[in-house]
Amino acid sequence: MPQPLLSPTTAAKAGPAPLALWRSWWRKQSPSRQDRFIVLGPLFAVLLFLAAVVAAFGYLRIEEIDREQQAVTRDVEYAQQRLRLRLLERQEQLMRIGRDASNYEIDAEEFVIQAEALVNQNPELMAISWVDSKRRIKASYVSPSAHGIGSRSVGEQLKVGEMDGTYELARDLRQPVYSRPLVLQNARQFNEASLQLQVPLDEQGRFAGVIMGEYSVDGLLRFGIPTEITAKYAVALVDDKETVLAGNLPPPRNGAAQLMPWAEGAAKYEIPVSPVGNGLLIRAEGYRASQGVVGSGFFWLVSALSTLTVWMLLGNWRHTRRKVQAQEALLTETHFRRAMENSMLTGMRALDLQGRITYVNPAFCQMTGLSEDELVGCTAPFPHWPESELTTLMARLEDELDGRTPAGGFEVRVKRKNGNIFDARMYVSPLIDPHGQQTGWMTSMTDITEPKRIREELTASYERFTTVLEGLDAAVSVAPLGSSELLFANKLYRSWFGSLGSSHVNLVAQVGVPTFAPTGDALDAVDGMAGFPTDSLTDAQTANAEIFVPELAKWLEVRSRYLTWVDGRLAQMVIATDITPRRHAEEQAAQQNERAQNASRLITMGEMASSVAHELNQPLTAINNYCNGMVSRIKANQISNDDLLVALEKTAKQAWRAGQIIQRIRAFVKRSEPNRASAEVATLVSNAMELAEIELRRHHVRLSHHIAARLPDILVDRILIEQVLINLMKNAAESIAQSHRPTAQRNVELRVVPKHIEGQDVVEFSVMDSGQGLSPEVMERLFEAFYSTKAEGMGIGLKLCRSIVESHQGRLEAANLYNGDDVVGCRFTFWIPVVPLVPTAGPDTDTIAIEAAGTP
């Protein structure tokens, strides 16, 4: 409950203020010392003022110099970029002419024509010459305006000094090289200089001379530097010895501009010209017509005004000293009270005994949006009362004046000046004066709109959350760890299991999550694991299991995890979802997949029927011939027992061969339950090759194979993997037959090697053919069900192959083989993990099987 504020006098007595300490110290000083402080204080203030004026002038001058220097730097760098781009453009044009000359695309006459056009278009170019590897001029064009360069005759040999060593440098580096600025001998102007660019010629890896371009340094200045730069600055091109080669610079300044020590010369800046290097620099210096700060008169005007200001400050200080002393006490009290009022976040309102507002603090005014003048002196109904609640608030006011307000306060609705309504809580206490008499009532008001909104949102959020859980199609239950007490159960759980917690415990036990038998602490509703860290349990992943509940005749997917309940106890949440339709669909999908695999094998054998018949005809014909021969020779008594034994052994061998072919075919097409077992890779591949070779021989295709030694065994369904290999080799043979390759190029290669892919050891099977490859359209739809490029194809072979490989946690891929830009064949690759992951029934595998098999 608020208490009456302390008076300023009482607050001052509570402890020494800084001002009181200052007064006490001042009174202890002698009068002479006081006079000295009074005199020196204003003088010190004046000195500070003058120092501030000087510092301001110095700062402004430094800023002015810095801005001028930045402007010069920026403009010079811009001019250097323009000049650099112009030089690079000329260099590229000369390099283009050099390439044409190296490739014998132009002769000397055509060179002169192109050089003349280039010189006429670019005034800074004085001459372009074609110099061979012996420094002899093959062709040259010199601008008529180039007075410093004489005519260069064809066949004339250049002297070593004329090129400043750039010829040798270009020959060694085989790159364009710029020379140092060269002063022309026959120049009309003093220090007129030129710049040479040597572009080397490369003739089949052999140095064949250079294309020499000669620039006028003065032309580079006049045509390469933007006019807006030359208009603002004195621009010159100088060499590394500070020799001015083109342009001019202003003479050093003296006289009035140097009267003050801070007077500086005009801003200047120089930068090397790229790509020439440090041998040629561009330098610019600003034109400065001003006489500086001193000559402008501004300095003296400010000095005079500063002197006048100092004099006025001294006079004003003497005049106001006594006035300030008189106001110090009042200001201290006012500041103290204002600080207390402004620091309060609670609105304060004082009423007299008649219910009239006598005081409001700034927080109350801020809450209501009304000023102090609009509130003080008002009687009921107050301007911050909503019109719809005047009767209720009037009754509240009567209770407040009669002292019948609750100690815990009460909630009211308050209207702001803009019409908005907010909720507030008010506390009322009597206002007692220093004589102990009650003079009114003090009311404190707190805005509770935001806390009330948060509380309502939390309530609504809880209702929405409960509604969502009640509407879930999964049974959700929560129980303490090791207890059958249900902390929460949604509607579906209650409809399945009732309100008993034993069903929750049974579900947890069937999932395989360890539970704890209730102990004496659990029976007393005390968490036996209280005090132990539970982060590792509550952050653990969910445990999943699929179980069958006989009571419900349903398959349920049960997920369980630990969580910390609202009261801090460790609990277990179980979510049970009815997956009976999904299990039925999975069983049907497995049956469809098996039928699709059997159908694919029968289709494959049907397509290979003629080849198998031909393959069986050979041993049967041999048996028939052997038997007829033996019968004829026995009738003629022309056979011995040894010859008869040899003939019978050959006949038995052919019969065994025919039996093996029939046995392989029977094992391949035989319907059997899926059986994954450890299989030897070499045996598996050999069985597949024996069946596939029948079809390959029919298409006159040669099969070669490479099987790596010491391959690990793999856990697979042998018949399914053989089916994949046979389909891939059969497709390879048909692709070769369709491409009409000659006999020497009809090859199919089977490679089986171990590899390490995706962080696991695998066995990779590759089938490569020399067919026509796959077009982008076919590659895009290669594994699409019922898509085939063969007129009689059904389009399920490759789809089923990928389904089989992916069911073994492997991958099947296809890619064309290239010889340059030509497609020379195709490669199908699939790999099987040596140690397969735990198989998971996913929608992708089931969908593939169903799509490949179709509807029975």
Side-chain angles (χ1 to χ4, degrees):
M1 191 171 296
Q3 298 296 329
L5 300 176
L6 295 175
S7 65
T9 306
T10 307
K13 293 179 180 179
L19 183 59
L21 294 175
W22 164 256
R23 287 175 178 172
S24 175
W25 176 84
W26 180 257
R27 292 192 187 99
K28 293 179 182 178
Q29 306 301 317
S30 61
S32 60
R33 221 168 173 187
Q34 291 180 357
D35 293 338
R36 193 180 308 114
F37 279 122
I38 293 174
V39 174
L40 294 180
L43 292 179
F44 181 70
V46 170
L47 291 177
L48 287 178
F49 176 80
L50 294 177
V53 171
V54 173
F57 271 99
Y59 175 78
L60 291 176
R61 177 56 183 155
I62 292 173
E63 285 289 316
E64 180 183 4
I65 293 173
D66 185 59
R67 285 195 302 271
E68 291 179 357
Q69 185 62 43
Q70 290 180 359
V72 172
T73 302
R74 183 174 59 254
D75 292 338
V76 171
E77 290 179 350
Y78 169 70
Q80 189 263 0
Q81 288 295 327
R82 289 284 300 272
L83 186 57
R84 173 179 174 272
L85 292 176
R86 194 174 184 91
L87 286 173
L88 290 177
E89 289 177 359
R90 302 296 87 74
Q91 176 180 323
E92 182 63 27
Q93 291 171 343
L94 292 178
M95 291 175 67
R96 192 178 302 115
I97 294 175
R99 283 194 298 269
D100 293 342
S102 298
N103 297 331
Y104 299 100
E105 296 179 3
I106 61 173
D107 54 9
E109 184 178 351
E110 180 64 24
F111 172 84
V112 172
I113 294 174
Q114 293 188 15
E116 180 180 0
L118 187 58
V119 169
N120 292 336
Q121 293 173 3
N122 303 280
E124 70 271 18
L125 270 174
M126 297 190 300
I128 300 177
S129 303
W130 182 356
V131 183
D132 62 9
S133 59
K134 297 182 179 180
R135 299 177 180 269
R136 289 195 301 267
I137 295 178
K138 296 182 65 175
S140 176
Y141 177 78
V142 180
S143 174
S145 62
H147 304 291
I149 301 177
S151 61
R152 301 191 184 276
S153 304
V154 176
E156 178 184 356
Q157 186 171 13
L158 297 178
K159 300 178 181 179
V160 178
E162 293 185 53
M163 296 188 178
D164 192 34
T166 55
Y167 180 90
E168 292 78 5
L169 194 57
R171 179 188 61 197
D172 296 336
L173 298 179
R174 300 295 177 88
Q175 293 180 357
V177 178
Y178 285 89
S179 70
R180 298 168 58 85
L182 304 174
V183 178
L184 299 178
Q185 300 298 328
N186 302 323
R188 294 183 177 181
Q189 301 179 4
F190 178 72
N191 280 348
E192 185 174 356
S194 67
L195 185 69
Q196 293 182 358
L197 170 61
Q198 308 280 351
V199 178
L201 302 179
D202 193 302
E203 184 176 327
Q204 297 181 355
R206 177 175 60 84
F207 178 72
V210 298
I211 298 297
M212 181 175 68
E214 297 179 79
Y215 296 89
S216 169
V217 177
D218 183 71
L220 290 176
L221 178 66
R222 287 190 293 113
F223 300 104
I225 306 300
T227 56
E228 63 268 23
I229 303 299
T230 57
K232 292 170 59 177
Y233 307 101
V235 183
L237 293 176
V238 300
D239 59 9
D240 53 355
K241 298 180 181 179
E242 301 296 323
T243 302
V244 178
L245 304 176
N248 52 14
L249 296 174
R253 300 188 310 128
N254 50 26
Q258 303 293 335
L259 288 177
M260 300 301 293
W262 59 74
E264 297 288 341
K268 58 184 178 181
Y269 184 71
E270 66 179 19
I271 187 173
V273 176
S274 176
V276 177
N278 295 328
L280 183 64
L281 297 90
I282 178 172
R283 178 182 297 173
E285 183 173 345
Y287 297 107
R288 189 175 183 86
S290 172
Q291 296 299 320
V293 177
V294 177
S296 63
F298 178 70
F299 174 80
W300 300 115
L301 176 61
V302 173
S303 300
L305 292 176
S306 300
T307 304
L308 180 62
T309 302
V310 169
W311 179 78
M312 293 179 65
L313 286 174
L314 291 175
N316 187 57
W317 175 78
R318 287 193 297 268
H319 177 72
T320 58
R321 182 179 56 182
R322 298 181 182 86
K323 188 176 181 180
V324 170
Q325 293 176 351
Q327 294 176 350
E328 283 181 355
L330 179 61
L331 288 176
T332 301
E333 183 178 355
T334 303
H335 290 163
F336 175 75
R337 181 178 292 274
R338 182 63 61 185
M340 290 186 63
E341 292 178 354
N342 294 338
S343 63
M344 293 183 64
L345 300 178
T346 303
M348 304 295 294
R349 182 192 67 182
L351 300 176
D352 60 13
L353 296 177
Q354 288 74 35
R356 182 182 292 103
I357 298 177
T358 58
Y359 167 80
V360 288
N361 71 337
F364 191 93
C365 296
Q366 185 177 3
M367 289 182 185
T368 59
L370 299 169
S371 63
E372 184 178 357
D373 296 336
E374 293 173 323
L375 291 172
V376 174
C378 292
T379 57
F382 299 126
H384 57 275
W385 283 4
E387 291 79 1
S388 60
E389 300 187 11
L390 291 179
T391 304
T392 303
L393 293 175
M394 187 64 72
R396 290 277 189 186
L397 180 61
E398 293 177 359
D399 293 341
E400 182 179 347
L401 296 177
D402 294 339
R404 297 194 301 269
T405 57
F410 54 89
E411 288 188 15
V412 294
R413 294 175 62 81
V414 181
K415 182 181 72 173
R416 291 191 175 92
K417 187 175 182 180
N418 57 9
N420 295 336
I421 305 296
F422 67 94
D423 296 309
R425 176 170 290 274
M426 287 189 173
Y427 301 89
V428 181
S429 61
L431 185 61
I432 308 299
D433 64 4
H435 303 288
Q437 300 294 325
Q438 180 177 356
T439 59
W441 300 91
M442 178 63 69
T443 304
S444 63
M445 183 177 67
T446 305
D447 186 355
I448 63 170
T449 302
E450 187 64 18
K452 187 174 182 180
R453 182 188 65 81
I454 294 174
R455 184 169 60 252
E456 292 174 353
E457 288 183 355
L458 289 175
T459 303
S461 176
Y462 174 76
E463 293 177 355
R464 289 194 299 269
F465 178 72
T466 305
T467 303
V468 169
L469 288 180
E470 292 291 336
L472 285 177
D473 59 352
V476 181
S477 60
V478 181
L481 193 63
S483 173
S484 60
E485 173 195 1
L486 274 181
L487 299 176
F488 175 82
N490 70 343
K491 180 179 179 181
L492 188 58
Y493 180 91
R494 295 193 299 270
S495 66
W496 282 354
F497 306 107
S499 301
L500 299 177
S502 58
S503 299
H504 173 94
V505 177
N506 293 336
L507 291 176
V508 172
Q510 294 185 64
V511 170
V513 180
T515 58
F516 304 93
T519 60
D521 292 339
L523 296 174
D524 294 337
V526 177
D527 190 355
M529 301 188 71
F532 290 94
T534 60
D535 293 343
S536 59
L537 287 176
T538 56
D539 294 340
Q541 295 183 351
T542 305
N544 296 350
E546 295 181 2
I547 63 175
F548 182 75
V549 182
E551 296 83 359
L552 302 175
K554 296 179 183 293
W555 279 95
L556 301 182
E557 181 184 15
V558 182
R559 290 167 296 188
S560 173
R561 67 167 298 159
Y562 298 100
L563 55 84
T564 302
W565 194 241
V566 293
D567 57 2
R569 286 187 290 172
L570 186 63
Q572 260 181 321
M573 179 176 66
V574 173
I575 303 174
T577 307
D578 185 4
I579 61 170
T580 304
R582 194 189 80 190
R583 290 297 293 249
H584 293 337
E586 289 176 356
E587 293 174 359
Q588 293 178 2
Q591 296 173 1
Q592 293 279 19
N593 191 17
E594 184 180 353
R595 287 196 292 269
Q597 293 167 3
N598 293 332
S600 176
R601 290 196 292 272
L602 291 174
I603 291 171
T604 301
M605 294 312 303
E607 293 174 350
M608 296 171 59
S610 60
S611 300
V612 171
H614 176 75
E615 190 71 16
L616 286 174
N617 186 51
Q618 292 181 1
L620 293 177
T621 302
I623 292 172
N624 183 46
N625 292 336
Y626 285 136
C627 290
N628 290 335
M630 286 186 293
V631 169
S632 299
R633 294 184 66 181
I634 289 173
K635 287 181 179 181
N637 292 323
Q638 295 177 355
I639 187 169
S640 63
N641 290 336
D642 294 338
D643 293 339
L644 181 61
L645 182 60
V646 171
L648 289 174
E649 288 177 350
K650 291 182 178 180
T651 302
K653 183 177 181 181
Q654 295 298 325
W656 177 84
R657 179 185 173 192
Q660 285 296 108
I661 295 173
I662 295 174
Q663 183 179 356
R664 295 296 184 199
I665 295 172
R666 181 176 178 275
F668 181 71
V669 300
K670 178 184 177 183
R671 175 184 177 88
S672 61
E673 295 297 326
N675 181 23
R676 294 193 184 184
S678 179
E680 185 178 351
V681 177
T683 304
L684 186 148
V685 173
S686 177
N687 294 339
M689 287 173 55
E690 288 184 8
L691 290 177
E693 276 185 330
I694 299 174
E695 184 71 9
L696 267 63
R697 282 197 295 271
R698 185 172 70 88
H699 292 289
H700 306 290
V701 175
R702 183 173 64 256
L703 175 63
S704 60
H705 66 277
H706 168 73
I707 304 176
R710 295 185 296 276
L711 285 172
D713 293 347
I714 55 177
L715 186 63
V716 296
D717 190 319
R718 181 181 58 81
I719 298 299
L720 295 181
I721 299 303
E722 288 180 7
Q723 179 179 352
V724 173
L725 288 172
I726 292 172
N727 281 343
L728 295 181
M729 289 188 284
K730 175 176 168 294
N731 289 343
E734 292 174 351
S735 176
I736 294 174
Q738 292 177 1
S739 63
H740 304 292
R741 300 285 189 189
T743 304
Q745 297 180 6
R746 290 173 172 257
N747 301 317
V748 171
E749 182 181 359
L750 172 62
R751 295 181 60 87
V752 184
V753 295
K755 281 196 175 182
H756 190 78
I757 301 176
E758 296 183 1
Q760 57 183 334
D761 294 327
V762 303
V763 176
E764 184 184 73
F765 301 81
S766 299
V767 178
M768 293 173 284
D769 63 65
S770 57
Q772 58 189 1
L774 301 173
S775 64
E777 295 79 10
V778 175
M779 185 72 74
E780 183 178 354
R781 304 181 61 187
L782 186 62
F783 297 104
E784 184 177 327
F786 307 112
Y787 174 76
S788 176
T789 58
K790 297 180 289 187
E792 68 281 2
M794 295 184 62
I796 65 173
L798 288 178
K799 182 73 170 180
L800 190 59
C801 287
R802 188 175 72 168
S803 174
I804 292 172
V805 172
E806 290 181 351
S807 69
H808 288 79
Q809 288 81 51
R811 295 290 183 272
L812 173 62
E813 299 172 346
N816 285 329
L817 301 177
Y818 291 90
N819 183 9
D821 295 332
D822 299 329
V823 178
V824 296
C826 183
R827 177 178 60 230
F828 279 82
T829 304
F830 71 92
W831 51 264
I832 302 296
V834 174
V835 181
L837 303 174
V838 177
T840 58
D844 188 56
T845 304
D846 298 340
T847 303
I848 290 172
I850 293 172
E851 288 179 354
T855 304

